[in-house]
Amino acid sequence: MKSIVTIIMVVALIIVANTVIIRSITTGTEKLTEESYDLKDKILDENWEEAEEDFDSIESEWHDKRSCWEMIVNHAEFTDIERFLLQLQTAIEIKNSDDCLRSIAELISHLKSLKYRYEFTAGNIF
Amino acid sequence: MIVIAIRTLILYIVVLTTMRLMGKREIGQLQPYELVITILVADLAAIPMQDINVPLVDGLVPIAILLVMHLLLSIISLKFRGARNLISGTPSILIESGRLMESELRKSRYNISDLLEQLRQEGIFSIGDVRYAIMETNGSISILSMDDKDESLAITVIMDGKLIKDGLYEAGYNEEWLYSTLKSNGILDEKNVFFAYIDARGRLRYQLQDRRRVGLWY
């Protein structure tokens, strides 16, 4: 009986934790991706003041998410995303739209891959 | 997290199947499913321990899944004889009345030199002196020599309240005999018996389930 209770508890814990984690990663990355697309529009319009505000919002959002995800996401992922954020910040400061667009593209690509990596799919299992 | 859990599950089944296919020789003193856990847990614990980029959860979830699998297989092994045979295998008689069982040796992938070495370690220097040599499911060899008083092996007929018909027929008895013997001892249902065997002298020896009578042999 004790063994069966342990089995049920471990399996239930894993299923619940998995649901919460996937939801957090999916909504978090989708929100950041959406904000990155908005930032891209501002940069294409060369609206640098609003671009800077959008960037600050993305950065603060990212730091919130990072502290939640640290226990589950491989830390190498954080290093990559933070490198693109830093490149993007510098490009906005010097108002270089080419570098901005390149960094945004790489940031979006990493956020999407992060989302797909933690999804419950056959591709991820095999 | 479920992805990691399923991957662990797949790897566990693959490694366990591989160990079973490798045969009893490689297993040593552990049951196959215990050995698999021993191998995997050590590695799983080492990865997050060495690489700080890897979250601890990546090591903890697979270990938890292995624990679940181990508990599950232990329960299944305890309750179902067929499943136990599938998971842990069955003992093989390698020598019977001084005669080598060639097909069992081949099936177990156990060569004669190793068997002779094992016998010598047990103080037996001739196959003719061996009444029974049995390779157990954990890879060890049990030997009954000709010097032993018992001329045949004890045969299990009830395990955890379940009748083992093969054993009963092998011993030359039938259900009618078993039930009448149990009835003459005041036992109306074999489910009340935890373990029963027929000894070398053809006597039925049994132990009742704990909840009915504790630790007594009749």
Side-chain angles (χ1 to χ4, degrees), chain A residues 38-50:
Chain A
D38 287 345
L39 175 61
K40 187 182 166 187
D41 292 340
K42 307 266 166 59
I43 288 164
L44 287 170
D45 294 343
E46 300 213 332
N47 186 349
W48 295 108
E49 268 182 33
E50 282 191 29

Side-chain angles (χ1 to χ4, degrees), chain A residues 4 15 25 30 44 46-47 52 55-56 61 63 65 68 70 75-76 78 83 86 93 107-108 112 114-116 123:
Chain A
I4 293 169
I15 291 171
I25 291 178
E30 277 174 358
L44 287 170
E46 300 213 332
N47 186 349
E52 261 180 59
F55 177 81
D56 290 342
E61 180 81 26
H63 284 297
K65 297 295 173 203
C68 295
E70 260 170 348
H75 298 179
F78 296 145
R83 195 177 69 238
L86 196 65
E93 277 168 9
L107 180 65
I108 290 170
K112 280 183 178 170
L114 183 65
K115 182 189 154 195
Y116 294 134

